[in-house]
Amino acid sequence: MIGASAAVVCLGAALAACGGGGRGEGYVATGVIGGAPQASGTAAAPTGGVTLVPLDGSPAKGGSPAPGGSSDGVPETAVPTPPDAVPSVGGTKSGRTAPDSPLPTSTPSRTAPTGPAALTWGDPVRKATDKRWCEDVGLGFSNSGGTAVRSGSVTFGTHIIGALGIDWGTVVSTVGLPAPIGAGARKEKTWTVCVDAWRVPLGMHIETRDVTVQWK
């Protein structure tokens, strides 16, 4: 402001010195019209419209930059940091959260059976056929021992049942065991068991209820 005022005063002095208005020498008014005269050499306040220009020669752009903005008036955009970022090795930050590592699980091992063969079987599963003196009989065998069953036999006891439910007798028959049956293995087999046809007159039927197994 002081520098600009001084420049205006100097320009006014030069114009006054050149256009004296017919007088022998120029002069400069240093006071307000009608007011008290001021001593020569005192700086006068500028009159009229005055345009202020910054010293670097570039016009101002809307005043001072806003807080957080750049020097050319464009606001700077802050880059947000992810809230779940975790620091990594070396002081940098990672945008991913490290997941929890699952604990290793152990797989239970199966113990192989040991010792000699140990054979077991269930109840017979019976199914009627188109002949009243025959029926299908199924058995399941399990070897829980450590040695395979190499051979054996199965003996069935077939009962002859009358029309009124009376057990008239039992007929025995023998079949081969479905060997070999390995250690820890299970095997199933179905046989068709029959008795003499004359033993089962019309109105009677058979039921294979008894099972005996021999094996080695």
Side-chain angles (χ1 to χ4, degrees), residues 161-180:
I161 308 299
L164 299 178
I166 299 174
D167 190 345
W168 290 92
T170 301
V171 178
V172 176
S173 59
T174 302
V175 294
L177 184 69

Side-chain angles (χ1 to χ4, degrees), residues 51-130:
T51 301
L52 304 181
V53 179
L55 296 180
D56 57 359
S58 60
K61 295 182 180 180
S64 302
S70 59
S71 59
D72 57 356
V74 180
E76 296 180 354
T77 301
V79 179
T81 301
D84 58 347
V86 295
S88 60
V89 179
T92 60
K93 291 184 176 180
S94 172
R96 297 182 59 187
T97 303
D100 296 334
S101 300
L103 296 177
T105 58
S106 58
T107 303
S109 58
R110 298 180 59 184
T111 304
T114 59
L119 190 64
T120 58
W121 57 92
D123 295 331
V125 178
R126 301 169 40 248
K127 182 179 180 180
T129 66
D130 56 349

Side-chain angles (χ1 to χ4, degrees), residues 12-215:
L15 293 176
C18 294
R23 293 189 179 188
E25 57 183 4
Y27 69 93
V28 178
T30 59
V32 182
I33 298 175
Q38 297 181 359
S40 178
T42 303
T47 61
V50 179
T51 301
L52 304 181
V53 179
L55 296 180
D56 57 359
S58 60
K61 295 182 180 180
S64 302
S70 59
S71 59
D72 57 356
V74 180
E76 296 180 354
T77 301
V79 179
T81 301
D84 58 347
V86 295
S88 60
V89 179
T92 60
K93 291 184 176 180
S94 172
R96 297 182 59 187
T97 303
D100 296 334
S101 300
L103 296 177
T105 58
S106 58
T107 303
S109 58
R110 298 180 59 184
T111 304
T114 59
L119 190 64
T120 58
W121 57 92
D123 295 331
V125 178
R126 301 169 40 248
K127 182 179 180 180
T129 66
D130 56 349
K131 298 177 181 180
R132 63 181 181 274
W133 56 87
C134 295
E135 66 179 356
D136 292 334
V137 181
L139 283 177
F141 304 89
S142 298
N143 181 10
S144 59
T147 304
V149 174
R150 300 186 301 273
S151 61
S153 62
V154 180
T155 301
F156 294 114
T158 303
H159 297 255
I160 300 173
I161 308 299
L164 299 178
I166 299 174
D167 190 345
W168 290 92
T170 301
V171 178
V172 176
S173 59
T174 302
V175 294
L177 184 69
I181 303 175
R186 175 180 172 81
K187 186 172 289 188
E188 296 180 355
K189 187 173 177 59
T190 299
W191 295 268
T192 300
V193 180
C194 298
V195 300
D196 296 329
W198 61 268
R199 293 179 181 273
V200 187
L202 188 61
M204 301 178 65
H205 67 279
I206 63 174
E207 294 181 5
T208 302
R209 303 172 179 174
D210 307 325
V211 177
T212 302
V213 179
Q214 293 182 346
W215 46 271

